[in-house]
Amino acid sequence: MNHRFTLVLDRPPSKTDEDALFDAGCDDATLEVRNQTGLAHFDREGVSLITAIVSAVLEVRSTGIGVRSVGTDPELVSLREIADRTGRTYESVRLLSTGARGPGGFPASLTSNGPAVYRWDRVATWFGAEAGTAERGTLAMLELADAFVRATDPEALVRLEDIKELERLLAA
């Protein structure tokens, strides 16, 4: 499974740091300096988000660079993806997004030109909180299916040890 997240570094990386990070295994990271703060944007494979973050933190720290915090990127989705995830037709979701159907208040698109793009977390919250019983039931079924997959695939479980390791690494 692929995971996107950002590590906030304790300093902006130098050219030497960039080479060291690459050699340490961070070849799946894009480095950025924003407002004198070093950022490492990762696009990493892992059985869970936590295990992907822990492995990245360990690799970064092996170079002598500290990690201040971790942020995850919001998952971006199209109307078609929203329709697939909620079991609705594209047209139904399009009408909900324009307010022509449903209770209104659908999350705003992040784009003003071209195809509409939405943050999944906001859309899922809207369906859970604002939409009718059928939509809440659909999302609940999706969550149960996801939980079932995780429970039947031990590789997909977020291990408690991984969470403790991440907390320990970020506290140090």
Side-chain angles (χ1 to χ4, degrees), residues 68-121:
R68 286 192 203 158
S69 63
V70 179
T72 56
D73 293 335
E75 188 176 3
L76 305 180
V77 292
S78 66
L79 288 175
R80 190 159 312 283
E81 178 70 16
I82 294 167
D84 290 345
R85 289 184 183 197
T86 59
R88 299 182 74 94
T89 66
Y90 170 82
E91 184 62 12
S92 172
V93 172
R94 187 189 70 74
L95 291 171
L96 289 169
S97 73
T98 63
R101 188 178 286 166
F106 195 86
S109 171
L110 300 175
T111 56
S112 56
N113 294 330
V117 176
Y118 300 86
R119 283 183 52 164
W120 173 245
D121 57 340

Side-chain angles (χ1 to χ4, degrees), residues 24-168:
C26 298
D27 54 342
D28 55 350
T30 303
L31 301 176
E32 176 186 5
V33 177
R34 189 184 311 159
N35 300 325
Q36 307 297 345
T37 301
L39 303 171
H41 306 286
F42 282 84
D43 192 0
R44 179 161 284 205
E45 288 291 321
V47 295
S48 71
L49 176 60
I50 296 295
T51 57
I53 292 171
V54 167
S55 68
V57 169
L58 289 171
E59 290 171 1
V60 168
R61 293 193 57 175
S62 75
T63 68
I65 299 172
V67 177
R68 286 192 203 158
S69 63
V70 179
T72 56
D73 293 335
E75 188 176 3
L76 305 180
V77 292
S78 66
L79 288 175
R80 190 159 312 283
E81 178 70 16
I82 294 167
D84 290 345
R85 289 184 183 197
T86 59
R88 299 182 74 94
T89 66
Y90 170 82
E91 184 62 12
S92 172
V93 172
R94 187 189 70 74
L95 291 171
L96 289 169
S97 73
T98 63
R101 188 178 286 166
F106 195 86
S109 171
L110 300 175
T111 56
S112 56
N113 294 330
V117 176
Y118 300 86
R119 283 183 52 164
W120 173 245
D121 57 340
R122 291 180 181 164
V123 171
T125 299
W126 182 87
F127 269 102
E130 299 297 330
T133 306
E135 289 81 6
R136 281 196 298 277
T138 299
L139 286 174
M141 287 182 357
L142 291 172
E143 289 169 6
L144 283 173
D146 184 54
F148 176 76
V149 168
R150 290 174 188 270
T152 57
D153 181 4
E155 294 295 315
L157 291 174
V158 174
R159 298 181 335 183
L160 182 59
E161 308 86 63
D162 294 329
I163 296 170
K164 287 180 180 177
E165 177 70 5
L166 181 59
E167 290 171 345
R168 186 185 66 71

